[in-house]
Amino acid sequence: MTASEKIALVPGICADPFFADCAAVFEEYAGKAFGVGYCRKETEGGIVLKRDPALPEEGYRLTVAEGGVTLLAAEKKGMHNGLADLLDRIEKDGDSLLAAPCDLTESPDCPWRGLMVDLARQWHPLPYLLQYVDLCWKNRASRLQLHFTDFQSFTLPMKAFPKLATEGRSYTPEEIGTLVDYAESRGIVLVPEVDVPGHTSQFFAKYPEIFGTAGVLPASDEVFDALRTIFSEVADMFPHSPWIHIGGDEAAIGEWEKCGRTKAYMKEHGIADIHEMYAEYIRIVTDMVLSLGRTPIVWEGFRKEYDDRIDKRTVVVAWESFYQLAPDLAEAGFTLINCSWKPLYIVTGRVSWSPEEIASLDPWQWDHWMASSPAKDRGIRIDRKYPVLGEQICAWGDVIAGWENWEDGIKLEMQLVAERLPALCGKLWDLGF
Ligand code: ACM
């Protein structure tokens, strides 16, 4: 299509009051992309945003025609998706803004078009988090999981346990508020993660009297009370987040054999061994999250013989195809998110897979490169009748955490994500079957 066949757009935007904040966000991004200021009134050739309750929550209808652009949506998330699509279609030609004519009605096939960023191994100052929200918006991603805690740091502010926040690499309450408002005004759902009972050295470094004695959080009423307080603070900090991720990966549960408090707890509750204790831990913490009115998410980790004791509202992230395989989790009744190591993991500076490999993964399929995974070489596939919400790219900071210039590390991470997120979101938007 030549430039003359495209429609010349006028930088005006007129929104139903329900979509006023969507219009403001579009103005901001369009201003940055094209150096053009959008006026906020009905303008011949401009953009009109209207409400159409018949469209699905994330859907929109976009019409670009002589006379202007009309964008219809039922909900703000649908309008944000439509505006991101529109922004992508606009090009600048001299002083003109052009877009090809179209009339399309869109909605995504998969609700979970996710990105996870590891904030605990590599400290990310707030402006980088806001840029990740921008990246999600531009790609019509829907969820941004934030891995706030791990061995290296605990990056959330806590009122009841103030020493937990790692000095010099934790967010202030005001920064979390800014992040929450920024994501909410862009329709991006934040998924906060506090990883327990493993990856918790910060807990026992700062409060050994409560969390100490082992390389994994002990099982004890005192620890569970503390975790109830911590997750309740997380829920308060992230009021718009329907999901809270409790971690649950790679816990060094062998340490419980040496932990008097955990052994006493197991005896008191008739728990036979550490694998049952681990499943019980996940049950207790996921129940805490449910009692806060949020849906718990957990990394794949508990054994299948204990599936019955975990509430089936829990969403399981199948990532390593090692502890329990997706077919068993699905058959047990869990809803899944696909984070197949290959091709969805990025360990910046060490490993990542191409956008093409990401685009060709089916959400009901797991591929792996880890030698001990049963998915290695042959992959794992489950029937499409099972609920898989979608997929998520996970950007880990293990390697860049060791780099002298941390900003170079984050910039490389952001570049790797920016190259891959379009492939993930594009595919999950329209699976083509
Ligand atoms: C993980 O990669 N440890 C979830």
Side-chain angles (χ1 to χ4, degrees):
M1 181 174 284
T2 63
S4 64
E5 290 168 288
K6 292 190 175 165
I7 311 270
L9 308 179
V10 172
I13 184 161
C14 170
D16 177 303
F18 182 72
F19 293 129
D21 43 358
C22 304
V25 166
F26 179 82
E27 247 183 282
E28 182 192 319
Y29 289 134
K32 280 189 193 146
F34 309 120
V36 172
Y38 266 74
C39 72
R40 278 291 194 92
K41 56 180 191 246
E42 185 137 16
T43 319
E44 182 67 26
I47 304 169
V48 177
L49 310 186
K50 286 200 238 168
R51 215 157 174 203
D52 178 351
L55 287 161
E57 190 196 352
E58 283 214 71
Y60 57 89
R61 178 168 178 194
L62 171 64
T63 312
V64 178
E66 289 298 344
V69 176
T70 309
L71 197 44
L72 308 177
E75 300 298 337
K76 290 182 184 177
K77 181 58 184 162
M79 185 54 77
H80 283 297
N81 286 332
L83 287 167
D85 187 352
L86 174 62
L87 189 72
D88 201 37
R89 289 166 185 272
I90 299 177
E91 63 190 75
K92 197 165 182 209
D93 184 16
D95 285 340
S96 306
L97 298 180
L98 303 175
C102 67
D103 182 4
L104 41 93
T105 302
E106 291 274 339
S107 66
D109 286 342
C110 295
W112 201 282
R113 305 178 303 283
L115 169 66
M116 187 223 78
V117 185
D118 175 6
L119 309 177
R121 291 186 178 78
Q122 174 55 56
W123 166 241
H124 290 60
L126 180 69
Y128 288 104
L129 299 196
L130 305 186
Q131 286 181 53
Y132 273 121
V133 174
D134 295 341
L135 212 47
C136 288
W137 187 93
K138 287 179 184 160
N139 286 291
R140 298 181 300 181
S142 56
R143 318 278 184 248
L144 178 58
Q145 180 185 332
L146 299 168
H147 184 75
F148 278 117
T149 70
D150 214 298
F151 295 120
Q152 296 80 350
S153 69
F154 190 107
T155 62
L156 282 174
M158 284 286 140
K159 288 192 199 120
F161 299 98
K163 287 189 282 179
L164 274 179
T166 307
E167 220 181 304
R169 45 189 296 189
S170 53
Y171 303 100
T172 64
E174 293 71 30
E175 286 179 314
I176 295 294
T178 300
L179 171 66
V180 165
D181 292 347
Y182 194 83
E184 175 66 6
S185 68
R186 283 155 180 77
I188 306 301
V189 174
L190 300 177
V191 181
E193 178 189 354
V194 171
D195 198 350
V196 297
H199 295 253
T200 41
S201 16
Q202 295 299 319
F203 288 71
F204 37 83
K206 301 297 174 47
Y207 293 94
E209 68 284 10
I210 304 171
F211 300 116
T213 75
V216 60
L217 292 183
S220 81
D221 290 336
E222 189 187 19
V223 172
F224 293 133
D225 284 347
L227 291 181
R228 206 164 280 113
T229 304
I230 287 170
F231 281 104
S232 159
E233 284 198 34
V234 171
D236 289 348
M237 258 185 275
F238 295 91
H240 313 299
S241 299
W243 295 274
I244 293 179
H245 199 308
I246 65 147
D249 58 321
E250 301 174 318
I253 58 176
E255 296 291 315
W256 281 334
E257 309 276 18
K258 297 179 243 157
C259 171
R261 287 159 77 194
T262 303
K263 286 204 300 199
Y265 186 93
M266 288 167 65
K267 191 162 177 220
E268 187 186 339
H269 293 85
I271 295 167
D273 64 27
I274 54 173
H275 297 290
E276 185 184 352
M277 183 63 246
Y278 173 72
E280 185 60 8
Y281 221 107
I282 299 300
R283 181 193 71 75
I284 291 167
V285 182
T286 49
D287 282 355
M288 277 175 205
V289 172
L290 286 166
S291 74
L292 292 164
R294 311 296 173 93
T295 298
I297 305 185
V298 62
W299 299 109
E300 150 217 338
F302 52 87
R303 289 186 168 184
K304 74 174 173 182
E305 55 263 46
Y306 304 113
D307 283 347
D308 280 353
R309 76 173 67 195
I310 315 271
D311 194 295
K312 294 300 171 299
R313 286 172 290 179
T314 303
V315 176
V316 182
V317 181
W319 61 285
E320 202 167 33
S321 296
F322 178 67
Y323 300 92
Q324 185 178 173
L325 303 184
D328 292 325
L329 288 163
E331 193 52 42
F334 291 106
T335 296
L336 303 180
I337 296 168
N338 187 336
C339 282
S340 177
W341 235 105
K342 179 186 174 197
L344 299 176
Y345 267 39
I346 296 171
V347 182
T348 302
R350 182 181 297 153
V351 68
S352 61
W353 280 272
S354 69
E356 292 71 29
E357 284 167 296
I358 290 171
S360 65
L361 184 80
D362 180 319
W364 288 267
Q365 169 198 350
W366 282 260
D367 273 347
H368 276 279
W369 68 315
M370 195 179 74
S372 51
S373 167
K376 175 136 192 325
D377 300 331
R378 60 191 167 85
I380 287 174
R381 190 172 271 284
I382 60 171
D383 196 283
R384 287 187 184 144
K385 72 180 185 203
Y386 291 115
V388 177
L389 296 176
E391 297 173 18
Q392 180 164 284
I393 289 176
C394 297
W396 296 100
D398 310 50
V399 176
I400 54 174
W403 288 10
E404 206 166 309
N405 189 335
W406 58 269
E407 276 195 296
D408 283 352
I410 297 182
K411 283 182 188 150
L412 175 60
E413 173 188 273
M414 204 167 265
Q415 180 195 326
L416 292 167
V417 170
E419 288 164 1
R420 285 155 182 75
L421 202 54
L424 182 97
C425 295
K427 170 195 55 183
L428 298 176
W429 189 274
D430 181 3
L431 292 171
F433 48 77

